[in-house]
Amino acid sequence: MEFSFENAHSRPKPIYLLDYACFKPPAIFRAPLPSCLEYAYMIFKDNPRLVRFHRRVLERTGLGPETCLPPAIHYIPPEPTMELARDEARLVIFSAIDEVFSKTGLGPEDVDILITNCSIFCPSPSLSSMIVNKYRMKSSIKTFSLSGMGCSASPISVDLASKLLQVYPNSNALVISTEIITPNCYMGTELSMLVPACLFRLGCAAIMLTNKQAEKNRAKYRLLHIVRTHKGGEDRAYNSVIQREDDEGRLGVALSKELMVIAGETLTSNITTLGPLVLPVFEMVRFAYNFIARKILGSKKIKPYVPKFNQIFDHFCVHAGGRAVIDELQTGLRLSDHQVEASRMALYRFGNTSSSSIWYELSYIEAKGRMKKGDRTWQIAFGSGFKCNSAVWKCNRDIKVKTDGCGPWRDSIDEYPIYIPEIFPW
């Protein structure tokens, strides 16, 4: 396929999501919170302060007993080697790809564009090359490996895929969103770097996109909008989530105390751009009036008007970055408990799976039988940089639980929703 400038400037082609798959970790990799605390006792037995900190974080994470960690982190002490990181990548990525091929009826020969996103683990050859090698994909395939883009990288990958599908006609794009957490095994003493280690768990999503009109009727969703906001031009935002070494030379990811404030500001910027694309006229007038008034009179004198997104979208997939992230967005967007149920349950069942978390949430909604033809879903994700990215999808057909499957929830969906205490009862 050759690049065509004529195609690039023609009327945008509709982009469809044929199907997707989420990796379900085997039970052998379970890491229930009591085991994590016992692990902390053994690793930090000479530093009770760190053990107490682990306990405080773990009991407030919102994670349940079924979340999983890779083998390298189960070892005492952990063994974050390159080979074990590759083993984790092969496990989660190949499992998700095999399932999405099975669901769509497509094979490696049908993939024209391949995009992977993984922040921390950036091997050479790349993850996309690893996939091409495993599945013996064709030499003309267009591959991209995105790194360092944080938990909001999945909408970025989908955005890139959609742009490429505008250029290359009659094509399929496979997007892989994951975080290989074996290398991110921080064993130092800096508290801001210990929090991510308590939250991140095994996960991966494989998403098959297409621009083929012949696939319209069987595709699950149509992509309506992608809105990306990047606050990296501000130092406080840029440094709010950053990979660095601590004073002892140990590599880890540090979280700023201002992180939630910065996330709120970035979300405001994102919805300012998204609003005109999805809001009805009346809501747009109120939103615009408030925006202008705050510019003239000052943002401290007038509270920002939050449009009634909860009446515009049928479903919400808020990045399961942690209980605090979900709480903040629920309050800021005035969402009900039901509207953030998928996010809380995904966090409880699978933990923070980084960029793939919004797909575990979408799968939860489908497994509950709530997704109907015409429904609109808003996926919201935050990531280092600092970024907030949104993806809006319209359901293309009724999603039938029995025939479409329940994905990673297939053997447990009837157990949810469940009550999640604010503090885990040890």
Side-chain angles (χ1 to χ4, degrees):
M1 291 180 290
E2 297 295 329
F3 181 89
S4 170
F5 285 100
E6 182 180 352
N7 288 337
H9 293 287
S10 61
R11 184 178 179 181
K13 302 179 182 68
I15 305 300
Y16 298 102
L17 191 162
L18 276 178
D19 214 325
Y20 65 97
C22 297
F23 169 71
K24 183 184 177 186
I28 193 173
F29 296 146
R30 286 176 62 247
L33 300 190
S35 297
C36 291
L37 184 60
E38 182 181 14
Y39 185 90
Y41 271 116
M42 289 186 283
I43 296 295
F44 301 109
K45 58 184 178 181
D46 297 326
N47 195 330
R49 171 174 167 268
L50 294 184
V51 175
R52 289 194 298 271
F53 178 79
H54 269 84
R55 182 184 182 109
R56 287 200 306 273
V57 173
L58 288 169
E59 66 188 9
R60 291 168 171 82
T61 58
L63 273 65
E66 300 296 322
T67 64
C68 294
L69 289 169
I73 301 181
H74 281 277
Y75 295 151
I76 302 175
E79 295 185 12
T81 65
M82 172 63 79
E83 190 53 38
L84 286 176
R86 288 186 189 276
D87 286 345
E88 180 190 346
R90 296 184 190 105
L91 171 66
V92 301
I93 293 175
F94 296 164
S95 298
I97 291 177
D98 289 345
E99 185 174 345
V100 83
F101 281 158
S102 175
K103 283 185 170 183
T104 60
L106 301 180
E109 69 281 0
D110 299 306
V111 179
D112 305 293
I113 298 165
L114 173 63
I115 301 171
T116 65
N117 66 257
C118 180
S119 290
I120 301 298
F121 186 54
C122 311
S124 183
S126 66
L127 292 177
S128 60
S129 293
M130 180 187 77
I131 296 169
V132 171
N133 177 260
K134 161 69 175 179
Y135 292 95
R136 299 295 188 258
M137 292 178 168
K138 56 193 175 187
S139 60
S140 61
I141 191 170
K142 307 297 184 292
T143 64
F144 303 84
S145 289
L146 307 184
S147 64
M149 307 201 79
C151 300
S152 66
S154 194
I156 296 174
S157 296
V158 170
D159 186 32
L160 175 57
S162 68
K163 296 295 193 297
L164 292 167
L165 288 171
Q166 295 301 323
V167 175
Y168 297 104
N170 201 38
S171 298
N172 298 316
L174 177 61
V175 172
I176 305 298
S177 291
T178 189
E179 187 58 67
I180 305 306
I181 58 178
T182 291
N184 192 33
C185 183
Y186 178 70
M187 290 291 110
T189 61
E190 191 165 324
L191 302 186
S192 65
M193 291 180 163
L194 287 171
V195 174
C198 295
L199 290 170
F200 283 93
R201 295 294 188 270
L202 279 173
C204 179
I207 305 104
M208 187 69 77
L209 304 170
T210 188
N211 58 15
K212 297 180 180 181
Q213 281 298 306
E215 300 283 20
K216 175 182 177 180
N217 292 332
R218 78 180 185 110
K220 276 189 173 182
Y221 302 95
R222 177 180 174 181
L223 179 64
L224 297 184
H225 308 289
I226 294 281
V227 175
R228 295 167 55 180
T229 303
H230 201 310
K231 290 287 189 178
E234 303 172 12
D235 288 344
R236 58 192 285 269
Y238 175 79
N239 291 302
S240 61
V241 181
I242 189 166
Q243 186 181 25
R244 60 174 176 82
E245 294 175 330
D246 63 14
D247 294 337
E248 299 175 343
R250 294 177 181 268
L251 189 64
V253 176
L255 306 181
S256 165
K257 292 180 179 180
E258 292 187 279
L259 179 58
M260 296 311 303
V261 174
I262 293 167
E265 294 171 356
T266 312
L267 174 64
T268 300
S269 297
N270 189 267
I271 63 177
T272 300
T273 304
L274 178 66
L277 302 175
V278 298
L279 293 174
V281 175
F282 178 72
E283 279 290 291
M284 271 304 303
V285 170
R286 295 186 65 179
F287 183 72
Y289 177 80
N290 175 265
F291 180 78
I292 294 170
R294 295 181 81 237
K295 284 289 186 182
I296 296 174
L297 301 177
S299 58
K300 293 184 179 180
K301 293 184 178 180
I302 301 178
K303 291 183 178 180
Y305 174 70
V306 179
K308 297 178 181 178
F309 287 109
N310 56 0
Q311 297 179 12
I312 298 167
F313 295 108
D314 301 284
H315 310 286
F316 295 82
C317 297
V318 176
H319 167 51
R323 182 196 295 272
V325 174
I326 301 172
D327 288 347
E328 188 73 17
L329 264 74
Q330 180 178 6
T331 301
L333 295 175
R334 295 183 293 184
L335 304 180
S336 67
D337 288 341
H338 179 75
Q339 288 169 323
V340 296
E341 179 185 309
S343 300
R344 294 196 188 281
M345 296 305 109
L347 179 66
Y348 180 85
R349 174 60 183 84
F350 295 102
N352 180 351
T353 59
S354 189
S355 60
S356 64
S357 71
I358 54 178
W359 299 102
Y360 285 86
E361 295 158 19
L362 186 61
S363 181
Y364 178 89
I365 296 167
E366 291 182 1
K368 279 295 182 182
R370 297 172 183 172
M371 189 65 70
K372 305 299 180 184
K373 183 177 181 179
D375 284 0
R376 293 201 295 177
T377 300
W378 183 13
Q379 292 179 320
I380 317 166
F382 296 93
S384 57
F386 189 81
K387 299 181 288 291
C388 174
N389 299 314
S390 293
V392 179
W393 302 90
K394 184 175 182 179
C395 187
N396 204 44
R397 59 177 173 82
D398 287 344
I399 307 298
K400 300 177 181 179
V401 176
K402 289 185 179 180
T403 57
D404 288 318
C406 296
W409 303 91
R410 52 187 171 271
D411 61 350
S412 61
I413 190 61
D414 292 338
E415 301 172 13
Y416 299 95
I418 65 172
Y419 169 72
I420 304 174
E422 289 190 15
I423 299 178
F424 182 82
W426 297 98

